[in-house]
Amino acid sequence: MTIKDTPEQWEIRASDTPFTGNKTSVRTDDVVMPDGTVVRRDYQVHPGSVAVLALDDQDRVTVISQYRHPVRQRLWEIPAGLLDIPGENPLHAARRELYEEAHVKAEDWRVLTDVYTTPGGCDESVRIFLARELSEAEGERYAVEHEETDMTITSVPLAELARGVLAGELHNNCLVVGVLSLVAARAGDGLDALRPAEAPWPARPFEV
C-alpha cells in the first residue's frame, strides 16, 4: 500500500455560492455519496496561502505575535499571507510576505511542506517555505494597517518553539506544522533533501 494523498472527484449534482466576501466565499455542493445518496456540503473557498519559517544562523525562527479575532487570542505565528493573484508563483508571494511582515530577506529557499489547513470545511492549501541565510531587507518598512499595527516581531530558538507546540502553548497552524516539519527534516534526510523552492504544487498550480 502506498500512503499518499490522491486526486478524486465525486459527482456534484448542484452547486451554489450563497456568500462572497472580500477574499473568500462559501460554496454549497450537492455531492453524490458512494451509496447513491446526495448530501449537501458547505465549505469556504480560499485562494491559498504561503507561510515562511525563516531560520537564522543562531537557530532562531522569526515569529510574529498578532491578534486573531475569530479565536479571540493573540497568537505567535510565522510570516504568512494570501495568494492574492490567481496562479501567482508561491515563492514570489513568500518573499513578499517575509519582507512586508518582518522586513527580512533570505538567500536560501526550500519547500518545507504543503498542507490543507481544514479540509473538512475549507479548500485552503498552504505552502510552507524554509528560508535561510537571512538579512535585513533594504528600503522602507511596509506600511501596516488594522491588526498588523499591533504586531510584535522577534526571533525565538527553534527548540523553544517545538517545546511550546508540544506543551499546547502555541496553536497557529502554520507555525505548528512548520516547526515540527523542520524538526522531522533534520532527524530524517536533512534540510538539503527538502524540495526545491519552485517544486510543483498541484493544489495551487503556478508558472515558474
Side-chain angles (χ1 to χ4, degrees):
M1 178 184 296
T2 301
I3 305 299
K4 180 180 179 180
D5 297 337
T6 55
E8 187 166 316
Q9 176 69 58
W10 290 5
E11 180 185 355
I12 298 173
R13 292 280 175 84
S15 185
D16 185 34
T17 304
F19 170 80
T20 300
N22 185 32
K23 297 293 185 180
T24 66
S25 61
V26 173
R27 183 176 297 163
T28 298
D29 290 342
D30 291 342
V31 186
V32 179
M33 298 289 111
D35 63 358
T37 60
V38 178
V39 177
R40 179 157 292 183
R41 291 287 178 255
D42 303 315
Y43 58 99
Q44 183 183 23
V45 178
H46 194 286
S49 307
V50 292
V52 184
L53 195 151
L55 187 70
D56 68 15
D57 57 6
Q58 298 180 55
D59 215 39
R60 300 178 304 177
V61 177
T62 300
V63 290
I64 297 165
S65 175
Q66 184 173 350
Y67 174 68
R68 293 301 188 182
H69 185 70
V71 295
R72 309 299 198 273
Q73 288 196 29
R74 179 179 291 275
L75 301 180
W76 285 102
E77 307 177 351
I78 56 177
L82 297 175
L83 290 169
D84 295 307
I85 304 170
E88 181 178 17
N89 187 309
L91 177 59
H92 298 171
R95 291 184 188 275
R96 181 185 68 238
E97 294 301 330
L98 185 60
Y99 166 75
E100 291 182 357
E101 295 196 357
H103 201 65
V104 168
K105 64 179 181 179
E107 299 302 323
D108 186 277
W109 289 82
R110 296 175 187 270
V111 175
L112 192 52
T113 190
D114 301 323
V115 61
Y116 289 114
T117 54
T118 49
C122 179
D123 72 351
E124 180 185 15
S125 183
V126 180
R127 168 155 282 188
I128 304 177
F129 289 90
L130 172 64
R132 294 180 292 175
E133 299 180 23
L134 309 180
S135 61
E136 184 174 355
E138 300 173 355
E140 297 182 2
R141 287 186 173 273
Y142 180 76
V144 297
E145 60 181 1
H146 307 309
E147 289 91 344
E148 293 177 348
T149 60
D150 193 41
M151 290 193 312
T152 300
I153 304 172
T154 189
S155 297
V156 177
L158 175 66
E160 183 176 337
L161 293 176
R163 182 207 61 78
V165 168
L166 298 179
E169 299 168 355
L170 300 171
H171 308 91
N172 173 262
N173 183 289
C174 292
L175 183 145
V176 170
V177 173
V179 164
L180 297 186
S181 293
L182 180 56
V183 172
R186 281 182 166 173
D189 295 331
L191 302 187
D192 289 338
L194 291 171
R195 287 173 290 161
E198 296 193 296
W201 188 14
R204 294 293 185 274
F206 63 93
E207 294 184 5
V208 176

